[in-house]
Amino acid sequence: GQQLNQSPQSMFIQEGEDVSMNCTSSSIFNTWLWYKQDPGEGPVLLIALYKAGELTSNGRLTAQFGITRKDSFLNISASIPSDVGIYFCAALNYGGSQGNLIFGKGTKLSVKP
Amino acid sequence: NAGVTQTPKFQVLKTGQSMTLQCAQDMNHEYMSWYRQDPGMGLRLIHYSVGAGITDQGEVPNGYNVSRSTTEDFPLRLLSAAPSQTSVYFCASSYSGGALEAFFGQGTRLTVV
């Protein structure tokens, strides 16, 4: 079946650093979504991308829909402590119901001790 | 301003017991779904519904039943709980017609002993 390969699995950040993560697949998708999950909470949508090549920002977050439609990237600039959490990519095809929304396994962001 | 409400937040079951996880949304969303989240596995789709009276299976449906008698409610039933069903369960809803932003509940943490 379709799979999303998200990397890295985890990373440590120091306040002020930029962070990058990505999601790839062997399948083509028409929509990419990025979610963040805080401990004990459900995922919250950060950015939605609907067009190949699209670059969208939400504050310090920037995400891109890969031109091949098989990948997406999320960058966080000048990280702050509240950025810690788990980030998920998700993808969907046209004509699909929500049943066709699939998720990557997540990137866990922690603060460097 | 409730959004997606899940009850209970925590539950411990004995093997073989049955129970229903409740999910309600007040946004008049047509699409609702259930996911389970396990460490290192991301979110996996159990069942979903594209509207009242219509349900379908996701990636991991075995051992679970759903029904959708109203737009607002989408309960998930565990027929005979097994330790492999120990997980965090999330309900999500979204608009129909291509608006793909999914809103998640806060989750139900289920332990089967």
Side-chain angles (χ1 to χ4, degrees), chain A residues 52-66:
Chain A
E54 180 181 357
L55 187 72
T56 298
S57 293
N58 178 6
R60 292 178 297 105
L61 277 61
T62 301
Q64 183 160 24
F65 189 144

Side-chain angles (χ1 to χ4, degrees), chain B residues 5 13 15 24-25 34 37 41 52 67 80 93 98 106 113:
Chain B
T5 303
L13 288 179
T15 298
Q25 53 92 7
W34 277 100
Q37 183 177 27
M41 298 295 291
S67 60
S80 177
S93 73
Q106 288 194 308
V113 297

